Each structure stands twice: as structure tokens, then as C-alpha cells.
């Protein structure tokens, strides 16, 4: 089997299982919303585990590649290796899902070491699927998309958020606000994967989050690069897969944050 055929098979497996997991989450939303864990800043549902179990079972059977997932973990040593592996967020935007908001999705990324090879992000509420990989372009609901971002920071729209691991002391918040207020508009939608998909589609121009997790950004980062954009990450705690992440259409804007 040639490399291109192999990659195509891997990518199709990710697309198909994202649709399957999304259908499950959409059809069983009431029972799946039962709370499994809740603390001051986070919530976990039965749906998170059910969706990841479904995805893991299919990807393991069809591809045999290792998996890092939000609910069941994975081997951080894959970051330093040369083996392909999956990075899965089975339900990104869990709180949105819990409250019936539409900005929530299934996110599956294919990586090799620290390279983002391919991503699929499926908003099952709106039936919007974004997928793509380096050198292959980006697709929305199977239609190729030509992306255009603004060329000036003061005209740009930034997608961001407040993840639970970030530092929210007053000095840190003031520094953060000074950075984000350089943009024309700032948007927070509660799903890093869908935020990155919006950047990849040219609906926004950049994304930044402090102390987020690899599974939150892996698929979306691949989408931004597939669309011709740029990604920079900086690990804060590699073993815990906590990192700062920036992605956008203009490489020089990364220096604002990282």
C-alpha cells in the first residue's frame, strides 16, 4: 500500500467516525447529558466517555494507531517519537452541550511527533464538518474552501477563551487583556476546536489560548495549517499535555502572544 493510499484510508476513518460519534451525541442528547463529574470550573458528562469509547473502538480496529484522548489519556512520549497517532476530543464544548448551545463538536487530529498532519472537526448540531491536511487544502461539508484573512492586526477577529488551567491573577489578566485588545474584535465560544475551525474557514483571523490541552487544539491546528495559516505551540507541562497555542493567517501575529 502506498503512502498516499494509507493516508487517505486514515483520513477517511477519522471523517467517518467523527460523523458516527456526532450522530450518537445528537440523537442521545438527553441521556448523554447526565453529569459524571463537576467542580468549580469544569463539568464532565456521560457523553464525553461514551463518545470517546466509540471513537477509540473504531480507530483502533481500522487503523491500529495509538490514541491520546481527553477522557482516557494516552502516552505523552508520542510527542517525541516518529509514529503517527490520533489526538481525540470526543466532545469539545462539553458545557455548551450540557446547556443546549450549538458551539460543540467532535474533534479528531492525526499527528506525528509535534506535526499536525490532518484534522476533522464536526459540529453535529449544525451538521457542519471541516476537515483538511497539509498540502491538501481545507474542506467544509466536502466542498473545497479558499480562505482569506485580513492583513492588519487592528482589523482582525481573534478567537480565544479562558481554559481552567490558565493563570488568572490580576497581573496575568492585565497582560492578557493588553494583548487581545490589539484586535478589532474578540470572540469566545467555549469550544477551542470549533474556534480553530472558524479561523481555518476564514470566519476569524487568529486564535490564542493559554494553558489549554493538546486534544483541544490538535485537529483545529491541522485545519489552520491546511488552509495556509500558521501555528505555534509552547508546552507548559508536556507530561500533562498543557500548552499555550496560537494559530492564524499571519505568521507575524504570533509574536503578540508566544
Amino acid at each position: 500500500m502506498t503512502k498516499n493510499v494509507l493516508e487517505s484510508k486514515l483520513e477517511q476513518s477519522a471523517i467517518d467516525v467523527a460523523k458516527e460519534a456526532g450522530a450518537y451525541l445528537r440523537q442521545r442528547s438527553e441521556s448523554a447529558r447526565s453529569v459524571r463529574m463537576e467542580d468549580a470550573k469544569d463539568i464532565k458528562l456521560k457523553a464525553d466517555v461514551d463518545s470517546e469509547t466509540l471513537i477509540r473502538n473504531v480507530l483502533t480496529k481500522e487503523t491500529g494507531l495509538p490514541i491520546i484522548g481527553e477522557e482516557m489519556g494516552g502516552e505523552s512520549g508520542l510527542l517525541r517519537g516518529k509514529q503517527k497517532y490520533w489526538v481525540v476530543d470526543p466532545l469539545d464544548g462539553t458545557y455548551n452541550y450540557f446547556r443546549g448551545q450549538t458551539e460543540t463538536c467532535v474533534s479528531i487530529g492525526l499527528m506525528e511527533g509535534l506535526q499536525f498532519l490532518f484534522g476533522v472537526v464536526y459540529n453535529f448540531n449544525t451538521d457542519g464538518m471541516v476537515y483538511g491536511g497539509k498540502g491538501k487544502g481545507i474542506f467544509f461539508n466536502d466542498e473545497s474552501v479558499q480562505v482569506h484573512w485580513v492583513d492588519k492586526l487592528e482589523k482582525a477577529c481573534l478567537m480565544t477563551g479562558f481554559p481552567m488551567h490558565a493563570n488568572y491573577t490580576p497581573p496575568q489578566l492585565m497582560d492578557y487583556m493588553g494583548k487581545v485588545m490589539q484586535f478589532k474584535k474578540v470572540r469566545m465560544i467555549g469550544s477551542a476546536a470549533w474556534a480553530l475551525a472558524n479561523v481555518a474557514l476564514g470566519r476569524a483571523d487568529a486564535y490564542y489560548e493559554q494553558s489549554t490541552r493538546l486534544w483541544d487544539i490538535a485537529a483545529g491546528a491541522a485545519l489552520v495549517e491546511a488552509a495556509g495559516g500558521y501555528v505555534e505551540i509552547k508546552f507548559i507541562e508536556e507530561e500533562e499535555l498543557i500548552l499555550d497555542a496560537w494559530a492564524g493567517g499571519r505568521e507575524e501575529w504570533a509574536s503578540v502572544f508566544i
Side-chain angles (χ1 to χ4, degrees):
M1 182 180 290
T2 67
K3 181 179 179 182
N4 287 340
V5 171
L6 176 60
E7 289 177 350
S8 180
K9 181 178 183 298
L10 294 175
E11 293 158 5
Q12 192 60 55
S13 293
I15 291 168
D16 290 345
V17 75
K19 289 180 180 177
E20 186 178 350
Y24 168 83
L25 291 166
R26 184 173 58 246
Q27 294 164 5
R28 304 194 182 190
S29 59
E30 290 305 318
S31 62
R33 284 193 182 105
S34 59
V35 177
R36 186 170 57 86
M37 184 280 291
E38 184 172 6
D39 61 23
K41 293 295 182 182
D42 200 15
I43 188 170
K44 296 292 184 183
L45 307 179
K46 180 177 181 291
D48 291 284
V49 174
D50 289 351
S51 180
E52 184 164 324
T53 299
L54 186 161
I55 293 167
R56 281 179 177 268
N57 287 342
V58 172
L59 291 182
T60 298
K61 179 180 178 181
E62 294 189 358
T63 74
L65 296 182
I67 299 171
I68 294 174
E70 179 173 11
E71 303 306 318
M72 302 174 196
E75 178 51 59
S76 63
L78 291 165
L79 300 173
R80 298 178 293 276
K82 296 183 178 180
Q83 182 178 14
K84 289 185 175 66
Y85 59 97
W86 299 107
V87 182
V88 174
D89 192 334
L91 177 55
D92 192 53
T94 297
Y95 187 75
N96 291 355
Y97 181 78
F98 180 64
R99 297 296 301 272
Q101 299 174 21
T102 58
E103 291 80 10
T104 186
C105 55
V106 176
S107 174
I108 302 173
L110 180 65
M111 295 186 65
E112 182 178 330
L114 293 176
Q115 296 183 66
F116 302 103
L117 303 180
F118 179 80
V120 53
V121 175
Y122 180 45
N123 185 330
F124 48 87
N125 291 303
T126 61
D127 197 29
M129 174 168 281
V130 191
Y131 64 86
K134 268 186 178 177
K136 301 176 182 181
I138 186 169
F139 298 81
F140 180 67
N141 288 347
D142 296 327
E143 294 290 331
S144 179
V145 178
Q146 298 299 313
V147 180
H148 301 282
W149 294 289
V150 302
D151 59 359
K152 295 183 183 298
L153 186 69
E154 61 269 23
K155 294 183 178 180
C157 177
L158 174 73
M159 308 292 287
T160 188
F162 286 125
M164 62 179 293
H165 297 284
N167 184 339
Y168 297 123
T169 59
Q172 290 293 325
L173 281 174
M174 289 300 294
D175 178 68
Y176 174 80
M177 292 303 296
K179 292 173 179 176
V180 303
M181 293 310 294
Q182 295 179 56
F183 291 80
K184 185 178 183 70
K185 293 292 182 180
V186 179
R187 295 289 181 262
M188 298 184 184
I189 60 173
S191 167
W194 194 242
L196 280 158
N198 275 279
V199 174
L201 291 171
R203 298 172 179 175
D205 304 289
Y207 160 90
Y208 174 68
E209 282 203 44
Q210 302 174 348
S211 299
T212 190
R213 299 277 194 147
L214 182 62
W215 46 72
D216 293 315
I217 63 98
L223 295 178
V224 172
E225 290 189 338
Y230 305 89
V231 174
E232 287 197 30
I233 60 174
K234 177 184 176 183
F235 275 93
I236 309 302
E237 295 181 31
E238 186 173 303
E239 291 299 318
E240 297 297 321
L241 305 174
I242 299 174
L243 49 80
D244 291 348
W246 176 89
R250 305 290 170 183
E251 187 174 16
E252 62 272 18
W253 293 354
S255 62
V256 174
F257 298 108
I258 293 181

